[in-house]
Amino acid sequence: MDHAAVLAAYDRQLRHDTQGEGGDTRVERTGGVVRVTGSAHDWNGVLWTGIDASTADAVIAEQVRHFAAAGREFEWKLHSYDQPADLGARLLAAGFEADPVETVMVAEAAALPAGPELPDGIRLLPVTDATGARLMAEAHLAAFGEDDAALSEHLARRVLAQLAEAPDEIVAVVAMAGDRPVCGARMEFRPGTDFAGLWGGGTDPQWRGKGIYRAMVAHRARIAVERGYRYLQVDASDDSRPILDRLGFATLCTTTPYVYRP
């Protein structure tokens, strides 16, 4: 993989030229940023910037005003190559909070291994309706605990909205142990780009280490290839990064979500 070429494609296709997620979202390219504004269940935030030290503080203040007027919490998705170099410190000074750093990883979908078979007792259930979205939320709770209850509820609402507004742009699946959801994952497509994004995959602690996460990646990779997408992209946590390394994903950069909560 040509790292520089793939990074340039990622930056252009998924950040600068993004078309948003459909539904109520609105993409604006203004004042040196690309930002996405949507409803409360949509992702709201700054996705790309073309600013420098002389303009950064004013641009930050303008984004705070914009999203405050819309009544939205929002995220500034800062990448390790963004400028100016002290942008993260400027965001913190403006009242943002930094979430954990994630590693942006990419692989050619067709080159990924088929992956392990699911362990005995596990089956994959496609998510197509409110019942499936609820199972995804329950799987998230099983993986991350009650401290993430609000995020689990937000996930269910977001997935259900995506299924209703743009069903061709999302594939979601839950791994079931009998009637119990133990892992939920989704893949989001960006028409007109080379990339499909992998999200989720957190697994119930009782079922970790059995190949479910790897099987979920392989399942979605096959679908991506069938739909003509070249690359799979993941914002990887520290837990999933070693698994993705072994599967053949390459690191492009890191990204830190800076969140502004009014």
Side-chain angles (χ1 to χ4, degrees), residues 92-194:
L92 292 174
F96 287 75
E97 298 175 9
D99 282 351
V101 177
E102 300 165 329
T103 303
V104 180
M105 305 185 76
V106 171
E108 295 217 25
L112 290 177
E117 295 295 325
L118 288 165
D120 290 343
I122 296 292
R123 61 187 173 91
L124 296 186
L125 178 69
V127 173
T128 59
D129 56 19
T131 298
R134 170 56 51 193
L135 289 172
M136 285 196 75
E138 292 177 12
H140 186 93
L141 273 180
F144 301 106
E146 291 294 333
D147 288 346
D148 258 19
L151 184 57
S152 297
E153 290 294 327
H154 177 78
L155 171 65
R157 290 193 297 270
R158 177 180 169 85
V159 168
L160 192 57
Q162 288 175 295
L163 289 170
E165 296 166 0
D168 293 335
E169 296 180 14
I170 181 173
V171 166
V173 63
V174 178
M176 302 290 295
D179 294 330
R180 179 182 178 185
V182 297
C183 180
R186 67 191 192 279
M187 177 165 55
E188 297 178 358
F189 303 103
R190 293 290 176 264
T193 78
D194 296 320

Side-chain angles (χ1 to χ4, degrees), residues 57-251:
D57 291 336
V59 171
I60 291 169
E62 171 55 28
Q63 305 322 304
V64 170
R65 287 192 294 270
H66 167 77
F67 286 102
R72 298 285 178 262
E73 173 181 306
F74 75 103
E75 176 183 318
W76 190 300
K77 197 164 179 61
L78 178 67
H79 288 66
S80 51
Y81 56 88
D82 288 343
Q83 295 298 317
D86 65 347
L87 183 53
R90 292 170 185 261
L91 291 169
L92 292 174
F96 287 75
E97 298 175 9
D99 282 351
V101 177
E102 300 165 329
T103 303
V104 180
M105 305 185 76
V106 171
E108 295 217 25
L112 290 177
E117 295 295 325
L118 288 165
D120 290 343
I122 296 292
R123 61 187 173 91
L124 296 186
L125 178 69
V127 173
T128 59
D129 56 19
T131 298
R134 170 56 51 193
L135 289 172
M136 285 196 75
E138 292 177 12
H140 186 93
L141 273 180
F144 301 106
E146 291 294 333
D147 288 346
D148 258 19
L151 184 57
S152 297
E153 290 294 327
H154 177 78
L155 171 65
R157 290 193 297 270
R158 177 180 169 85
V159 168
L160 192 57
Q162 288 175 295
L163 289 170
E165 296 166 0
D168 293 335
E169 296 180 14
I170 181 173
V171 166
V173 63
V174 178
M176 302 290 295
D179 294 330
R180 179 182 178 185
V182 297
C183 180
R186 67 191 192 279
M187 177 165 55
E188 297 178 358
F189 303 103
R190 293 290 176 264
T193 78
D194 296 320
F195 297 86
L198 302 187
W199 304 94
T203 305
D204 185 324
Q206 297 182 32
W207 286 92
R208 290 175 187 167
K210 300 180 185 298
I212 293 176
Y213 181 84
R214 286 172 289 163
M216 292 285 236
V217 171
H219 172 77
R220 289 174 288 172
R222 289 192 294 270
I223 296 172
V225 171
E226 290 169 0
R227 296 201 183 187
Y229 286 84
R230 181 173 181 180
Y231 298 113
L232 295 180
Q233 171 260 321
V234 185
D235 290 352
S237 68
D238 288 343
D239 290 333
S240 57
R241 189 178 66 242
I243 303 172
L244 295 167
D245 267 327
R246 291 193 294 270
L247 289 175
F249 280 75
T251 295

